[in-house]
Amino acid sequence: MKKVILTYGTFDLFHIGHLNLLRNLKSLGDYLIVGVSTDAFNAQKGKRTVISFEERIDIVQSLKCVDLTLPEHCWEQKARDITEHGVSVFGMGDDWQGHFDGLKALCEVVYLPRTAGISSSALKHCLREIALAG
Ligand code: CTP
């Protein structure tokens, strides 16, 4: 039986930290599903992206380590997705440590080390500085 892994994220300005996380998650099983936050869900979270949802999900879906992408519309859908897709492991970067422990009733929950020194926010900050300097 295939071992299904599930994760979620915004993946704005896709970077090496995202890639490392997705590769590491895939190595825990056979089939990696990635939920990508929609623009409407990000607006609810007060998060504005540079790259649109359609382009962010297209980029993530094109990765070799990703088997399936789905839109993430709300916080509550995680439990439903775990059950619907027969998920064995739910994983996130360790900036979310403990945040999703409630899902342990449904599957294994892991928090993997983040890649140091890179984030979408840091990239946006850099772009702003370059624009101001130019
Ligand atoms: N992630 C990671 N290493 C990084 C950055 C992100 O492992 N350097 C992980 C996060 O922990 C999360 C996933 O990638 O599980 C998607 O994170 P996302 O919030 O989309 O990326 P960030 O770069 O953290 O974005 P932001 O700065 O807006 O929080």
Side-chain angles (χ1 to χ4, degrees):
M1 208 175 74
K2 74 179 175 190
K3 189 171 178 185
V4 181
I5 316 295
L6 175 66
T7 191
Y8 296 87
T10 296
F11 305 103
D12 195 20
L13 298 172
F14 195 91
H15 58 68
I16 192 69
H18 295 145
L19 188 57
N20 287 338
L21 180 85
L22 296 179
R23 280 185 179 146
N24 291 338
L25 285 171
K26 179 62 178 275
S27 75
L28 302 178
D30 309 302
Y31 191 84
L32 176 61
I33 304 175
V34 183
V36 178
S37 302
T38 62
D39 293 335
F41 184 40
N42 277 326
Q44 266 182 49
K45 292 187 274 182
K47 198 167 184 171
R48 224 180 84 206
T49 59
V50 177
I51 309 297
S52 71
F53 167 72
E54 288 74 18
E55 292 182 4
R56 288 183 287 110
I57 198 166
D58 197 6
I59 290 165
V60 173
Q61 181 64 69
S62 73
L63 300 170
K64 219 164 37 177
C65 57
V66 174
D67 297 288
L68 179 71
T69 50
L70 46 86
E72 184 192 27
H73 296 289
C74 61
W75 294 109
E76 300 75 42
Q77 81 180 68
K78 291 183 176 66
R80 194 180 63 233
D81 289 343
I82 288 170
T83 310
E84 259 177 33
H85 293 279
V87 170
S88 301
V89 181
F90 174 84
M92 296 289 291
D94 61 6
D95 48 323
W96 292 97
Q97 189 70 45
H99 201 85
F100 297 108
D101 285 358
L103 298 172
K104 284 182 179 171
L106 299 173
C107 66
E108 188 184 340
V109 176
V110 297
Y111 303 97
L112 302 187
R114 272 171 75 93
T115 302
I118 180 105
S119 69
S120 304
S121 309
L123 290 174
K124 284 173 203 169
H125 184 77
C126 272
L127 290 173
R128 222 174 291 130
E129 294 214 321
I130 290 168
L132 286 174

